[in-house]
Each structure stands twice: as structure tokens, then as C-alpha cells.
Amino acid sequence: MPSIQHGLLYCTPEFIEEGVTGPETDLWSLGLIIYYMLTGKHAFSLHDEKEDVEQICLNIMSGDFLNDEDMKKFGDTDEEREMVFDLIIKLTQMLPRMRLGSGAEDTPQSM
């Protein structure tokens, strides 16, 4: 299991489950970096001093990190917020082949 010191907060579900990495891993991380840049917080962090590695892994596996409060930080207008939300969602799809830019034929390749 990855540690917090080794980038756990940016790990993909497939890495946690199977130790698998690939170009899609970078796409996932990019989505989480954009989220961090706009909100100032890590998507799956427990936000306390005693980060529980197991709980963070469960949070990542749930894929649930976006909320209405965070979306307010994604832009000044509803249109901007929706575009950024859509980008983050497309980059952080649970299935690697479904991530924006993965190159899979059934992947939405444009905004």
C-alpha cells in the first residue's frame, strides 16, 4: 500500500487495487492537481495531523470528492465553474480508459 510520503493523495484506484500505472495515471493526477490549485486542499485528504492511509485509500476508491462548496472556487461564473467541474470529472474517471486524453475510442476526447 502506498504511503502519504509517496504521493498517496494522487494515487489512482487501479494503483491502489492492483499496482497498475500508465499514462492514465498521470491524467488522474492532473485532475487532482487542478482540484488542489483551485481549492487549496487535497481531494482525498482527511485534513488532520494523523492521516490514516487506509481511510485515504477508501476515499480514493469511492471517487467521491467534489462538492458544491468546492465548485464555487472553480470560477467566477456558472459557465466557468461548469467547465472546470467537467474537466476534473473527465480526468478522474474511475476506469482508466474513460479518462479524458486516455486515447480509448469510447472516451470523450473534447470538452
Side-chain angles (χ1 to χ4, degrees), residues 64-77:
D64 185 24
F65 66 95
L66 293 170
N67 60 57
D68 291 339
E69 192 60 37
D70 291 339
M71 280 187 63
K72 292 177 185 174
K73 300 174 184 175
F74 291 175
D76 294 327
T77 66

Side-chain angles (χ1 to χ4, degrees), residues 55-69:
Q55 184 59 53
I56 291 171
C57 288
L58 290 172
N59 290 351
I60 291 169
M61 296 308 296
S62 78
D64 185 24
F65 66 95
L66 293 170
N67 60 57
D68 291 339
E69 192 60 37

Side-chain angles (χ1 to χ4, degrees), residues 24-90:
E24 299 87 356
T25 303
D26 295 336
L27 297 169
W28 171 276
S29 297
L30 175 60
L32 297 182
I33 290 167
I34 293 169
Y35 176 88
Y36 179 80
M37 290 171 59
L38 294 172
T39 66
K41 62 183 184 178
H42 293 287
F44 300 108
S45 177
L46 302 176
H47 307 292
D48 67 27
E49 294 176 18
K50 294 184 178 183
E51 295 282 3
D52 180 356
V53 172
E54 204 167 312
Q55 184 59 53
I56 291 171
C57 288
L58 290 172
N59 290 351
I60 291 169
M61 296 308 296
S62 78
D64 185 24
F65 66 95
L66 293 170
N67 60 57
D68 291 339
E69 192 60 37
D70 291 339
M71 280 187 63
K72 292 177 185 174
K73 300 174 184 175
F74 291 175
D76 294 327
T77 66
D78 287 342
E79 183 179 355
E80 289 174 351
R81 286 187 284 274
E82 190 172 313
M83 284 178 47
V84 174
F85 177 81
D86 189 52
L87 175 62
I88 292 171
I89 289 294
K90 288 179 178 178

